[in-house]
Amino acid sequence: MVETTLYITIILLSFCSILAIIRFIKGPTLPDRVTAFDLFAAIVISLIAIYAVISGNTAFIDVAILLSLITFLGSMSFAYFLFRSKKNK
Amino acid sequence: MEFIQELLSTIFIIIGTVFIIIASVGILKLPDFYIRMSAITKAGTVGVGFIALGIAIYFNDLSISIKSFVIISFMMVTAPVAAHIIARAAYRQGIPFWGKNLVDELNELEARKDLLEEQVASNPNSIEIKVQLINCYITLPTVQGGSLKKAILIASDIKEIDAPQGHASLAMIYERDNDFILAEEEYKQAIETSKGNLIYKYKLANFYGEIGRVTQAIDMLEKILAENSDETDAMLELGKAIAVHGKNLQKGISALNSYIEQANNDNEKLSEAYCSLGKIYLKQNDKQKAKSYFAKAIDINPNSLDIPIKCQ
């Protein structure tokens, strides 16, 4: 019973990641893409965590922690890049 | 027992998934970048947090619990920081708001700064415009065109035309920069160069009150009162300062009473006076009198916000 619900949540989360990718492609600006990527990373973190439950392998949770760290660094560096790039008002 | 544990963990995971679905629908459907950003940082963080909680319950193991706690706390700390920084960078880039946005104060302030700069360039002798421009410079953040150096330059310009006003502006800049020693010095010089103009004395007293040196503020106001015994504003300010400070209560009561006797029809100030009187009586543990004064304050000005809640 538990396993089927978890599989269903995985399917739903994959659907969500498709929505995030659509926003990533549509844009229309760079900050939009950065936030879409943020959401995509959050979805991947949840997917990994749920997969850790299904497979029973607890090592995957470490991967989720690492990924959340890296996404933070990624969005920070994108923000820094935006600050540096020219103002196009 | 195990059944309850599994049920609870799947329920939490499902709640988390629902939140993430809401976030992804939000990122696709909402109208502008800033609104989308708020949707995904709130809902996304809560979603991941619930899923991590569900996992902690499922495994029921200390090390896993600690790890999922790390995920939750890390998401809670980093997501708002990242969102704030990206939104700030986006605003600086000029990413537009959607059409129904009504207020953009930073932009207005910046436009006003540009306008004032032009005006200063066209008539360099107007002090009023320069004071306004200084205000703009010290309220705008540095990345948006605010600058203490420019403000100080203009203040020294003013000083050449009108020395006390220039000193007062400099004092305002230093106060904004949290350099209270220099600010006090400048206020004193403003009073000195204006030969004891009351406006600057009030400004100094106000400054003392603002940075929490209430005794000095009270001293200053008493000095003003000693020199001009019919200065009603000083009485009110003195009463308010004493109500905050909590010493020499008798003096505060007499000052406020004489203010109320001589007061003109300014309802807001009169209500403030009654409110301060009430606070002083409250400090003297005379609850009956305090209550009646608070009632009077509300009677005169129903919008007065300064009254302690338990007395309303």
Side-chain angles (χ1 to χ4, degrees):
Chain A
M1 212 278 275
V2 178
E3 229 163 70
T4 36
T5 30
L6 290 182
Y7 276 121
I8 290 169
T9 52
I10 282 191
I11 292 165
L12 286 174
L13 285 176
S14 314
F15 177 68
C16 289
S17 71
I18 292 171
L19 295 187
I21 288 168
I22 291 173
R23 174 53 72 190
F24 188 88
I25 294 166
K26 260 171 84 177
T29 56
L30 184 58
D32 274 308
R33 298 202 165 94
V34 175
T35 46
F37 183 71
D38 253 16
L39 181 65
F40 184 72
I43 292 167
V44 172
I45 291 168
S46 335
L47 277 176
I48 292 173
I50 292 172
Y51 186 69
V53 174
I54 292 172
S55 68
N57 188 350
T58 54
F60 279 114
I61 292 172
D62 297 326
V63 179
I65 294 175
L66 245 167
L67 200 58
S68 70
L69 271 163
I70 290 170
T71 9
F72 175 62
L73 286 183
S75 46
M76 286 303 258
S77 48
F78 264 115
Y80 187 70
F81 169 69
L82 282 172
F83 263 113
R84 293 249 116 174
S85 60
K86 263 187 191 164
K87 200 176 180 182
N88 48 11
K89 226 172 192 178
Chain B
M1 189 61 214
E2 206 163 82
F3 173 71
I4 295 172
Q5 196 180 317
E6 283 185 351
L7 188 72
L8 216 58
S9 79
T10 35
I11 285 173
F12 274 127
I13 289 174
I14 288 169
I15 292 173
T17 313
V18 168
F19 270 107
I20 288 180
I21 291 169
I22 292 170
S24 352
V25 172
I27 202 176
L28 210 58
K29 276 282 167 198
L30 288 174
D32 85 357
F33 163 70
Y34 303 96
I35 306 174
R36 286 199 283 268
M37 160 138 260
S38 95
I40 71 147
T41 37
K42 280 175 205 151
T45 313
V46 175
V48 175
F50 267 115
I51 287 173
L53 198 64
I55 286 162
I57 292 169
Y58 182 86
F59 281 108
N60 194 15
D61 179 74
L62 183 64
S63 70
I64 305 291
S65 302
I66 290 171
K67 277 171 191 167
S68 52
F69 177 74
V70 167
I71 294 180
I72 294 170
S73 53
F74 202 78
M75 287 301 274
M76 291 266 181
V77 173
T78 58
V81 173
H84 168 85
I85 286 179
I86 291 176
R88 218 162 73 119
Y91 184 85
R92 266 199 77 207
Q93 282 264 308
I95 308 291
F97 292 109
W98 68 314
K100 289 183 185 169
N101 200 55
L102 290 177
V103 186
D104 184 359
E105 279 186 350
L106 207 53
N107 204 6
E108 276 168 27
L109 202 61
E110 217 182 335
R112 196 156 155 246
K113 188 203 85 182
D114 291 342
L115 188 79
L116 285 170
E117 264 175 355
E118 271 173 32
Q119 283 181 350
V120 165
S122 58
N123 55 337
N125 282 325
S126 163
I127 294 168
E128 206 170 300
I129 295 173
K130 280 185 177 172
V131 173
Q132 281 177 13
L133 183 58
I134 287 176
N135 254 328
C136 278
Y137 275 138
I138 58 180
T139 34
L140 273 170
T142 327
V143 289
Q144 218 70 31
S147 158
L148 282 180
K149 267 184 196 163
K150 280 184 192 170
I152 288 172
L153 266 179
I154 292 174
S156 47
D157 264 10
I158 296 175
K159 208 155 69 176
E160 276 167 25
I161 310 167
D162 181 356
Q165 183 65 50
H167 282 299
S169 315
L170 267 179
M172 204 167 66
I173 296 164
Y174 289 133
E175 190 185 339
R176 171 79 189 179
D177 198 26
N178 288 337
D179 195 339
F180 296 137
I181 299 167
L182 273 176
E184 189 186 354
E185 194 79 4
E186 292 294 338
Y187 274 124
K188 278 183 178 158
Q189 277 190 23
I191 293 170
E192 212 172 274
T193 45
S194 67
K195 297 183 183 111
N197 193 332
L198 271 181
I199 298 170
Y200 300 117
K201 283 185 181 171
Y202 275 126
K203 275 188 177 164
L204 181 58
N206 203 1
F207 163 70
Y208 281 139
E210 213 115 279
I211 64 170
R213 280 145 71 171
V214 185
T215 28
Q216 269 169 306
I218 291 172
D219 281 351
M220 197 68 222
L221 288 165
E222 275 177 347
K223 239 191 246 170
I224 298 175
L225 267 181
E227 284 160 18
N228 319 280
S229 53
D230 55 346
E231 193 59 41
T232 48
D233 283 350
M235 289 174 198
L236 174 61
E237 294 294 327
L238 183 62
K240 279 202 293 198
I242 287 174
V244 173
H245 189 50
K247 277 175 191 162
N248 294 330
L249 292 175
Q250 217 53 48
K251 221 183 253 173
I253 292 173
S254 66
L256 283 172
N257 273 329
S258 51
Y259 174 78
I260 290 166
E261 269 170 34
Q262 298 174 22
N264 33 19
N265 290 328
D266 193 340
N267 275 346
E268 216 166 287
K269 280 184 177 174
L270 201 59
S271 143
E272 272 176 24
Y274 278 123
C275 183
S276 301
L277 256 182
K279 276 183 196 162
I280 290 175
Y281 279 118
L282 205 62
K283 285 225 164 90
Q284 282 187 338
N285 271 331
D286 192 344
K287 278 188 184 158
Q288 213 59 40
K289 260 184 175 171
K291 224 174 190 175
S292 70
Y293 278 117
F294 284 137
K296 267 186 194 170
I298 293 176
D299 221 28
I300 295 168
N301 181 9
N303 302 326
S304 61
L305 302 165
D306 217 19
I307 292 163
I309 293 164
K310 58 182 176 186
C311 300
Q312 276 182 358

